[in-house]
Amino acid sequence: MIATYPFSAVVGLDDLKLALVLNAVSPRVGGVLVRGEKGTAKSTIVRALAAQLPPVEAVTGCRFACDPAAPDPACPDGPHEPGEQRLRRPAALVELPVGASEDRLVGALDVERALTEGVKAFQPGLLAAAHRGVLYVDEVNLLHDHLVDLLLDAAALGTCYVERETVSVRHAARFLLVGTMNPEEGELRPQLLDRFGLTVEVRASRDPGERAEVVRRRLAFEAGPEEFAGRWAAEESALAGRIARARDRLRGVRLPDARLRQIATVCAAFEVDGLRADLVTASAAMAHAAWQGRQVVTTDDVRAAARLSLPHRRRRDPFDAPGLDEELLERLLEETSGPDDPDDPDGPNGPNGPDGPGDGGPVGGGPDGLGPGDGGSSGESAGLGSETSREDAGSRPQGVDGQAAGTAEAGPQAVDGPAGSRPAAPAGRPAGAAEPYRVPLLQVPGLGEGAAGRRSRARSAHGRVTGARRPRGRLHGLHLTATILAAAPHQRTRGRTGPGLLLRADDLREVVREGREGNLVLFVVDASGSMAARRRMTAVKTAVLSLLLDAYQRRDKVGLVTFRGAAAEVVLPPTSSVEAGAARLRSLPTGGRTPLAAGLAKAADVLRVERVRDPARRPLLVLVTDGRATAGGDVERAAGLLDGTASVVVDCESGPVRLGLAVRLAARLRARLLPLDALSDLGSAVRDYRKAV
């Protein structure tokens, strides 16, 4: 239950509650993405919301939950006649599991009826079940991209279109979309991130008293669930009633031109892409006005909406943390506020204003109330940007070391200046990096069967159909045509007399598809003294950052091993969070001797463990070194531990006299050799082309 949770115990939960309520008031807002560390009650509060939504009336027997007052004329179970029987039920809460198939999400041909009865029938999916309710996706960042595309399209259009296996169906799919994710496990692509209307960042409080209150209430619930629920029933009922009244009031909320221009000015100043931010902010501001009991949108409503709709749309690259410069927001709102609408009944003296009888104040004086202080209207509250740096909307992208990155034409020397302008960095002092550039496609040879991605060729459940085969174990993806062709010659001998096919297990054929997979890209970086010249290490970090960005775009897992001094270290265990890899790279110290053998042995250990954890994901080793080995261990023996591993050696050796050690190492590993200069030259060529066009 929402009312039972002490919101001060988790930073950002007040904003989360407001974001969920705004979507409950107006589904046009477009859903909520909840980002935060594990154990912060993200799932708890989302599941609790469904109980606060008003119950719905549906046509009896309709699998698509049609509203009897306004049934969908294209409903596959329709048409529904006026006066049909109806039932009243709670709003649905449908959970989409990470491993769901496309058929499970959108629906598909009812194969059983097609084969046994000879009729074409549609089996609805989870989008139909979630209509007029809540669709909850836990760990949405781990969901396959094509599934995220499908559900976000349905959420935006309010309609699900199914075109597959001779089935052509359209049905209504209007739901409150909520996704939760832990950024440490990987980010959503920017295109998908933008499709969520609002986003909220949550993290656990560090105050012992607040944390103790969470535990106290949890223990009280476990000791007596019914008694505990009864203690908060009044507050829960009041919250549900307020949501229902806000829904009714939303139809009459007016968005003045002055507030619309204010929204457009704010979105333009924050340099968000496209116009979706303007539309979402306007819808959220109207929902906030209805929630606060107002009939006209005010600057406070715009402020609350912007704080939730803009942070995730300001990211210029995958390594930027979501956030909002609230000082800039306040300045923009102040400059564009203008005079109040003279006809506004929600003004200070209006009947629906703060002093009037509207719903603007807290509900019942309990913890459910979302007045201006709780709803995130104040720029001084702890919000999404509380831990992000303050930067102007027009500032340049930030480099890995937190400094402004160089211009596109400057190349890797942008941070450190011309060669020789700075002395070598002291041992242990991190070097910076310049703007990342495009790198060539690095692939694992052969055909894999790993998780869907965009790097190496693979047999995949989602890709182009290349054929059919007998199932190996459980059937995955029926190839209908091949199954019918296998069964057709035997119908007479099997004694078929009716319209349906007579099938046997050996008739079944499954689809064979070929697509792309994501790989485990393990970076092994030489951070020793031989690499520690500041300009040189800057070029190395820029190269690794560029490869990290490529791994992000291709949906890979990444890991980072460094070696310096006397040993190697796993700086970043394999993870889907490329942001975490960039953060580790930011603080990577350099200096000391070069234990190359230790780095190779540590990489072999990491890959061995990952083969057990995720055997289907094929690894790609990217070794960044000049090939020197000045500390213990037999390099030849360590290299033997990596036999059979697809590898790339980035040769960082420079200067007029070169020993060719990295070249020999690449030959021993049977790895592709890429000189560091080749990577940066490709990046320069791409920048020159973009500049020319």
Side-chain angles (χ1 to χ4, degrees), residues 25-113:
V25 172
S26 174
R28 289 190 305 170
V29 172
V32 185
L33 176 64
V34 189
R35 298 164 45 92
E37 58 193 28
K38 52 186 175 292
T40 49
K42 301 187 297 294
S43 302
T44 301
I45 189 173
V46 171
R47 292 188 176 98
L49 174 70
Q52 311 307 314
L53 297 180
V56 298
E57 287 192 344
V59 175
T60 303
C62 178
R63 297 173 297 169
F64 302 88
C66 276
D67 185 353
D72 181 6
C75 175
D77 284 353
H80 301 295
E81 299 295 332
E84 285 196 28
Q85 288 187 339
R86 61 184 65 187
L87 59 88
R88 187 177 179 86
R89 59 170 177 79
L93 172 63
V94 177
E95 297 191 36
L96 175 62
V98 170
S101 65
E102 186 174 342
D103 289 348
R104 187 74 184 96
L105 178 64
V106 301
L109 176 71
D110 190 330
V111 176
E112 181 179 354
R113 294 189 62 191

Side-chain angles (χ1 to χ4, degrees), residues 241-590:
R242 186 176 173 189
I243 291 174
R245 293 194 298 274
R247 278 187 167 186
D248 294 338
R249 187 182 296 112
L250 180 64
R251 303 185 185 95
V253 172
R254 183 165 59 89
L255 178 63
D257 285 343
R259 301 287 78 78
L260 182 57
R261 287 193 298 271
Q262 190 176 47
I263 291 171
T265 300
V266 169
C267 293
F270 279 111
E271 296 185 326
V272 297
D273 295 330
L275 294 173
R276 184 174 285 117
D278 305 62
L279 295 169
V280 169
T281 305
S283 297
M286 296 174 69
H288 190 268
W291 172 249
Q292 295 292 343
R294 290 189 282 267
Q295 296 177 0
V296 178
V297 174
T298 67
T299 296
D300 285 342
D301 301 317
V302 175
R303 177 187 293 108
R307 290 184 64 251
L308 298 172
S309 64
L310 297 183
H312 60 302
R313 294 185 166 91
R314 292 204 57 235
R315 304 179 67 184
R316 311 319 300 172
D317 65 59
F319 305 134
D320 290 339
L324 191 68
D325 186 343
E326 297 199 23
E327 293 179 357
L328 175 60
L329 175 62
E330 288 299 322
R331 186 165 68 250
L332 292 169
L333 293 176
E334 183 178 352
E335 292 172 354
T336 58
S337 59
D340 291 334
D341 189 336
D343 298 326
D344 183 3
D346 305 301
N349 300 318
N352 294 322
D355 300 324
D359 284 342
V363 178
D368 296 324
L370 280 178
D374 294 328
S377 299
S378 173
E380 299 176 357
S381 61
L384 299 177
S386 59
E387 292 189 349
T388 58
S389 60
R390 305 290 188 179
E391 58 180 353
D392 292 336
S395 62
R396 293 184 297 174
Q398 298 293 306
V400 176
D401 59 349
Q403 302 173 2
T407 60
E409 294 79 9
Q413 297 183 13
V415 173
D416 299 309
S421 62
R422 296 189 183 184
R429 178 183 174 187
E435 182 182 0
Y437 45 74
R438 182 181 176 185
V439 297
L441 173 61
L442 308 177
Q443 292 180 297
V444 178
L447 196 63
E449 296 183 351
R454 299 179 60 195
R455 184 172 296 279
S456 305
R457 294 175 57 232
R459 293 188 182 91
S460 171
H462 314 288
R464 62 186 181 91
V465 177
T466 59
R469 68 182 179 189
R470 293 179 184 272
R472 301 170 183 174
R474 183 180 176 185
L475 177 67
H476 296 283
L478 179 72
H479 195 299
L480 184 59
T481 303
T483 298
I484 293 175
L485 290 175
H490 309 291
Q491 296 304 296
R492 180 174 296 178
T493 59
R494 293 175 185 175
R496 173 185 167 185
T497 57
L501 284 174
L502 296 179
L503 293 178
R504 292 179 180 174
D506 57 357
D507 296 331
L508 297 178
R509 299 292 185 271
E510 67 180 6
V511 173
V512 176
R513 300 176 184 270
E514 183 176 314
R516 293 278 175 176
E517 68 176 359
N519 299 111
L520 166 59
V521 182
L522 181 63
F523 296 94
V524 183
V525 180
D526 182 351
S528 65
S530 65
M531 302 278 290
R534 187 171 181 83
R535 175 173 172 267
R536 191 172 175 196
M537 199 61 199
T538 292
V540 170
K541 281 194 174 183
T542 304
V544 177
L545 182 67
S546 303
L547 291 165
L548 275 170
L549 179 59
D550 180 70
Y552 168 84
Q553 294 169 340
R554 300 188 186 281
R555 309 300 290 168
D556 297 315
K557 289 179 69 175
V558 297
L560 179 60
V561 173
T562 64
F563 54 96
R564 60 186 288 264
E569 177 186 6
V570 181
V571 178
L572 179 70
T575 176
S576 296
S577 177
V578 179
E579 280 187 334
R584 299 295 193 278
L585 190 67
R586 180 185 301 119
S587 58
L588 178 64
T590 59

Side-chain angles (χ1 to χ4, degrees), residues 1 4 212-232:
M1 295 184 297
T4 65
E213 181 61 22
V214 175
V215 177
R216 187 178 298 113
R217 295 191 187 183
R218 175 66 185 183
L219 294 176
F221 170 78
E222 292 177 350
E226 295 182 0
E227 179 183 354
F228 184 80
R231 194 186 315 163
W232 296 89

Side-chain angles (χ1 to χ4, degrees), residues 109-141:
L109 176 71
D110 190 330
V111 176
E112 181 179 354
R113 294 189 62 191
L115 296 180
T116 59
E117 301 177 23
V119 298
K120 184 171 67 174
F122 177 67
Q123 181 67 38
L126 294 177
L127 292 181
H131 180 46
R132 304 174 69 198
V134 179
L135 180 62
Y136 172 50
V137 188
D138 195 13
E139 306 294 351
V140 65
N141 51 324

